[in-house]
Amino acid sequence: MKFMFVFLALIIAAPACADNGIITKPSNFSVKDTISRFEAAVKSREGAGFIVFTEIDHAAAGKKFGIDMRPRTVVIFGNPKLGTPVMAKTPLLAIDNPPKALVWEDDQGKVWLSYNSADYLYKTIYPRHGLEAPPNYSAFTKTLSDITDEATK
């Protein structure tokens, strides 16, 4: 019975991922450690152009105004080598780019890492700005998966 409750709690706590473009992975680490591991994974790919731009700590911002919530930190990262030339030609892309990852804790204390899939970026965000997806973005898909795996496993 306890297993069934835990299983159902995980299903309810984990957002649906397949149809909304968001991939959510459970983390084996605390929010702080998951963020550190995520940023280290991004920075280890600096030679390929990846960087961490900044973090937004929503819980800390809320706390400043007397609002408590579980940890919710957005890490903004990207690859200026690839993204900047596209944004130079299509300035409004900057409202949706660079990519972001959300590290968050649910009501049961479980830590998750969520991010937009490469499919969502290239099949939803790019068309929104009149852009076509690159012919092959499987390397970016794999890089996102590798980075998030390094952060969570």
Side-chain angles (χ1 to χ4, degrees), residues 3-59:
F3 173 77
M4 177 77 81
F5 175 74
V6 170
F7 179 73
L8 289 174
L10 285 174
I11 290 173
I12 292 167
C17 302
D19 59 358
N20 66 4
I22 298 174
I23 296 172
T24 297
K25 296 181 177 184
S27 179
N28 293 323
F29 306 98
S30 68
V31 168
K32 182 178 177 181
D33 288 345
T34 302
I35 293 167
S36 293
R37 293 172 63 88
F38 180 83
E39 291 183 357
V42 171
K43 290 174 184 175
S44 75
R45 291 159 173 82
E46 190 172 327
F50 284 89
I51 65 169
V52 172
F53 290 101
T54 194
E55 288 180 20
I56 301 170
D57 185 338
H58 290 288

Side-chain angles (χ1 to χ4, degrees), residues 51-110:
I51 65 169
V52 172
F53 290 101
T54 194
E55 288 180 20
I56 301 170
D57 185 338
H58 290 288
K63 189 173 198 126
K64 201 174 192 178
F65 295 95
I67 304 167
D68 288 327
M69 75 173 181
R70 298 242 180 223
R72 308 269 192 278
T73 299
V74 173
V75 180
I76 301 173
F77 69 102
N79 188 326
K81 283 180 164 179
L82 300 175
T84 303
V86 180
M87 280 190 265
K89 293 178 182 173
T90 310
L92 291 179
L93 179 62
I95 203 157
D96 292 315
N97 234 13
K100 296 164 264 322
L102 171 65
V103 181
W104 57 285
E105 183 181 279
D106 67 20
D107 290 342
Q108 289 72 43
K110 177 69 184 140

